[in-house]
C-alpha cells in the first residue's frame, strides 16, 4: 500500500544506471544511493546470470532496451530468444488462460521493440558487467495484492528453474598461468561472434569463467595483461 516507483528523491532508479547508448547519466541525475549500492554489489559478486522483476505487464523482455532490433541486436540474440521462449512457454502452460499474452501472444519481446528506455538495470548488467540479465514482467497489475503472490509463484516457479538451469549450459573453464598454474582474471572472447561487450571475464580467486551460448563450434580467444593471447578453435 502506498508504494511508489521513485526513491525518496522521486527519481526512477530503473532509468538511473549507466546506459550503453545514452552514457553514464542518461536521466540527467547523479547515480542514486540505491543504484550505487547495486552497482557495487554487482562488481563484488560478478554475476553470470540474473533476473530483473517487474509488474505492470506479463512478458519476458530480453536485451536490448536502449536499442530496438532494427538498430542493434545482441551477439547472443538467438540464445536470448530460446531462453525467453522456454520461460514464457512454461509460464503460459502452468498459468491461467491468457497468462503471459498481453504484450505479445508468444509472451516474449525484444525490449526496444516493445518500447525503448535508457538507464535500465538490464542493459547496465549486460553491457557493463558482462552478465546475462533478462527483465520479467509477471503481473498486469502493477501492485498486486500479497494474497496473489502464491499464485504467481505457482505460475512461474518452473520457469524460474528453467532459467537458472541455463547457467549449467554453454562453455566453462579455468584460465591459469601455464608455468605457475596460478589462476588468472582473463578476457574470454568468442572470435567473430562477440560484439557490444558480450565477451566475459574469468574471475579471481578461482580463474573460472562461465559463458552461456548456443551450440558451436566456436573459436575462443583468451587474453590477459602481461600474457600472450591464445585462441582455441572447435569448442
Amino acid at each position: 500500500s502506498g508504494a511508489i516507483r521513485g526513491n525518496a528523491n522521486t527519481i526512477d532508479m530503473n532509468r538511473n544506471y549507466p546506459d550503453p547508448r545514452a552514457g553514464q547519466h542518461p536521466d540527467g541525475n547523479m547515480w542514486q544511493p540505491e543504484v550505487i549500492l547495486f552497482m557495487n554489489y554487482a562488481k563484488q559478486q560478478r554475476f553470470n546470470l540474473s533476473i530483473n522483476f517487474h509488474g505492470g505487464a506479463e512478458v519476458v523482455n530480453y536485451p536490448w532496451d536502449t536499442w530496438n532490433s532494427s538498430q542493434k541486436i545482441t551477439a547472443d540474440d538467438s540464445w536470448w530468444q530460446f531462453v525467453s521462449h522456454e520461460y514464457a512457454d512454461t509460464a503460459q502452460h502452468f498459468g491461467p488462460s491468457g497468462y503471459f499474452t498481453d504484450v505479445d501472444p508468444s509472451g516474449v519481446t525484444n525490449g526496444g521493440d516493445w518500447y525503448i528506455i535508457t538507464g535500465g538495470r538490464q542493459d547496465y548488467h549486460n553491457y557493463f558487467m558482462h552478465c546475462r540479465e533478462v527483465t520479467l514482467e509477471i503481473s498486469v497489475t502493477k501492485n498486486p495484492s500479497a494474497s496473489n503472490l502464491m499464485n504467481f509463484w505457482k505460475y512461474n516457479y518452473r520457469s524460474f528453474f528453467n532459467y537458472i538451469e541455463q547457467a549449467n549450459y554453454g562453455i566453462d573453464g579455468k584460465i591459469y598461468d601455464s608455468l605457475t598454474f596460478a589462476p588468472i582474471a582473463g578476457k574470454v572472447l568468442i572470435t567473430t561472434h562477440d560484439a557490444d561487450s558480450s565477451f566475459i571475464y574469468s574471475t579471481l580467486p578461482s580463474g573460472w569463467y562461465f559463458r552461456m551460448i548456443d551450440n558451436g563450434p566456436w573459436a575462443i580467444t583468451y587474453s590477459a595483461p602481461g600474457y600472450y593471447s591464445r585462441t582455441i578453435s572447435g569448442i
Side-chain angles (χ1 to χ4, degrees), residues 85-95 155 158-159 162:
H85 282 286
E86 182 181 52
Y87 188 102
D89 290 351
T90 306
Q92 288 177 349
H93 180 78
F94 289 100
Y155 306 156
R158 300 169 186 86
S159 297
N162 286 342

Side-chain angles (χ1 to χ4, degrees), residues 74-222:
T74 67
D76 297 305
D77 185 72
S78 60
W79 180 86
W80 273 120
Q81 290 195 42
F82 171 79
V83 172
S84 299
H85 282 286
E86 182 181 52
Y87 188 102
D89 290 351
T90 306
Q92 288 177 349
H93 180 78
F94 289 100
S97 177
Y99 188 57
F100 251 73
T101 60
D102 72 301
V103 174
D104 189 277
S106 70
V108 172
T109 186
N110 173 282
D113 288 350
W114 185 17
Y115 62 97
I116 289 176
I117 70 164
T118 58
R121 199 189 82 173
Q122 172 186 274
D123 285 6
Y124 168 75
H125 274 176
N126 279 281
Y127 189 89
F128 293 101
M129 299 309 299
H130 312 283
C131 178
R132 301 296 181 264
E133 177 165 308
V134 69
T135 299
L136 294 180
E137 302 265 5
I138 64 170
S139 167
V140 292
T141 303
K142 189 69 175 177
N143 295 310
S145 168
S147 63
N148 290 324
L149 293 180
M150 184 54 69
N151 288 330
F152 289 122
W153 168 253
K154 291 176 181 177
Y155 306 156
N156 285 275
Y157 79 86
R158 300 169 186 86
S159 297
F160 298 159
F161 293 159
N162 286 342
Y163 185 75
I164 294 168
E165 188 178 25
Q166 289 299 326
N168 293 308
Y169 303 131
I171 305 166
D172 68 274
K174 182 178 181 179
I175 304 178
Y176 59 88
D177 187 298
S178 62
L179 299 179
T180 68
F181 299 101
I184 297 171
K187 183 179 180 178
V188 181
L189 178 75
I190 310 297
T191 312
T192 71
H193 173 81
D194 277 327
D196 299 314
S197 292
S198 63
F199 55 85
I200 62 167
Y201 291 92
S202 61
T203 57
L204 296 178
S206 67
W208 279 98
Y209 68 89
F210 301 89
R211 177 62 162 90
M212 289 151 279
I213 196 169
D214 276 342
N215 292 336
W218 304 105
I220 306 180
T221 299
Y222 301 90

Side-chain angles (χ1 to χ4, degrees), residues 191 219-222 229-233:
T191 312
I220 306 180
T221 299
Y222 301 90
S229 298
R230 181 180 180 187
T231 298
I232 302 176
S233 301

